[in-house]
Amino acid sequence: MARVVVNVPATARRGEIIEIRTLAGHVMENGFRRTQLGELVPRDIITRFVCTYNGVEVFRADLHPAIAANPLISFTTVATESGKLEFRWTGDNGYSAAHSATISVV
């Protein structure tokens, strides 16, 4: 299982803009480096990150080989109702990671 860290506020006021930060542990090998023997190291990157809030997509990012290892993604959304935020990372070589968090809106 991939290591991911998600930071979501536990509570927020209705209409408040909240910041969400995620970090996925991944080497993000770009496919351009060579080994000591001159062979190309195969590409292995996270290609997509998606966040849904109560089933509605609120953020999506397509990642490319220039992204650093262990990509940190930070974005904002509006706290509209209590519920569940779901996070999904997908990538090369069958990479998949998922995480969820709940938020209470008052």
Side-chain angles (χ1 to χ4, degrees):
M1 185 62 156
R3 184 181 71 83
V4 297
V5 178
V6 175
N7 185 323
V8 175
T11 61
R13 293 183 317 276
R14 187 173 313 281
E16 180 181 356
I17 297 173
I18 58 171
E19 180 181 25
I20 299 167
R21 287 177 281 163
T22 71
L23 180 121
H26 194 281
V27 297
M28 297 295 280
E29 183 57 58
N30 64 22
F32 300 118
R33 288 186 328 118
R34 294 189 178 272
T35 66
Q36 291 180 335
L37 300 175
E39 299 168 345
L40 279 175
V41 177
R43 182 180 117 150
D44 184 12
I45 67 169
I46 296 172
T47 56
R48 177 165 286 171
F49 169 76
V50 177
C51 174
T52 59
Y53 184 6
N54 287 338
V56 177
E57 186 176 298
V58 294
F59 185 84
R60 171 187 302 254
D62 291 324
L63 307 178
H64 301 280
I67 300 294
N70 305 320
L72 171 69
I73 299 172
S74 178
F75 60 96
T76 59
T77 191
V78 177
T80 57
E81 61 186 355
S82 296
K84 188 175 190 180
L85 290 135
E86 295 180 327
F87 307 90
R88 181 161 306 279
W89 297 259
T90 55
D92 295 339
N93 305 315
Y95 178 85
S96 180
H99 188 79
S100 64
T102 58
I103 186 168
S104 178
V105 176
V106 292

